[in-house]
Amino acid sequence: KNQVEQSPQSLIILEGKNCTLQCNYTVSPFSNLRWYKQDTGRGPVSLTIMTFSENTKSNGRYTATLDADTKQSSLHITASQLSDSASYICVVSRNTGGFKTIFGAGTRLFVKA
Amino acid sequence: DVKVTQSSRYLVKRTGEKVFLECVQDMDHENMFWYRQDPGLGLRLIYFSYDVKMKEKGDIPEGYSVSREKKERFSLILESASTNQTSMYLCASSRGGYTEAFFGQGTRLTVV
């Protein structure tokens, strides 16, 4: 079954600290993996996208890694800011020639002052 | 900047009403999508469209229909709203293929 599982479900960290969010998937055949950030009451916004051959991609303080062999991805946030408080969603697309995209349930991150 | 605009941020409707959710994008994208988002379940695809007047069922199309008469506009229709359709509805658009999807701000629909 094609699934995307994220952990932890929620996370509370102090401002300035680093954190890492995990995404494990069983989607096959794999096409690409994306991380989205969703602020409360808003639509998701893309942070990174990685294909099979890419194992790391950065966007400012956000760094995503991908291990296609173990089917795991992580999103590392460096020097967290209050504005990083949001849900982070891992999305995996299948390479079937059609639109087969599976969303994870997301990790809710709270950054405290 | 790509802009995907949904007609309402919040909507309250009665059971049995016909509900229209409108979505407009300004980037000439071929693909448009409707998702619903529920706590703990992530986003689930309801319908998508890859061209004008073309539509395809997603994972949970039951109780919904869609309309795409113009390239920039994609409408989601709840034929007879039910309480289990209370949810956050998100519209998205993208160019062809597996390109980045841009999302609207969402419509929080409550059916009472």
Side-chain angles (χ1 to χ4, degrees), chain A residues 99-112:
Chain A
F99 292 104
K100 291 296 182 183
T101 300
I102 296 96
F103 287 75
T107 292
R108 186 73 176 89
L109 174 66
F110 300 89
V111 180
K112 298 193 321 181

Side-chain angles (χ1 to χ4, degrees), chain A residues 10 18-19 25 27 38 54 65 72 84 98:
Chain A
S10 62
N18 303 335
C19 68
Y25 63 92
V27 177
Q38 184 176 20
E54 296 172 299
T65 64
Q72 295 179 325
D84 292 330

Side-chain angles (χ1 to χ4, degrees), chain B residues 16-68:
Chain B
E17 273 193 81
K18 190 169 186 176
V19 181
F20 292 86
L21 302 184
E22 305 286 346
C23 176
V24 177
Q25 51 96 1
D26 65 359
M27 279 301 291
D28 202 36
H29 284 170
E30 290 84 3
N31 307 320
M32 296 189 76
F33 309 83
W34 274 106
Y35 295 90
R36 65 177 282 176
Q37 185 177 32
D38 300 289
L41 294 178
L43 276 76
R44 292 179 292 167
L45 182 63
I46 304 171
Y47 267 96
F48 67 92
S49 168
Y50 52 88
D51 202 351
V52 176
K53 297 192 185 295
M54 305 301 288
K55 59 185 179 184
E56 293 286 343
K57 292 180 180 179
D59 300 317
I60 51 165
E62 296 79 18
Y64 304 94
S65 62
V66 291
S67 172
R68 193 164 181 202

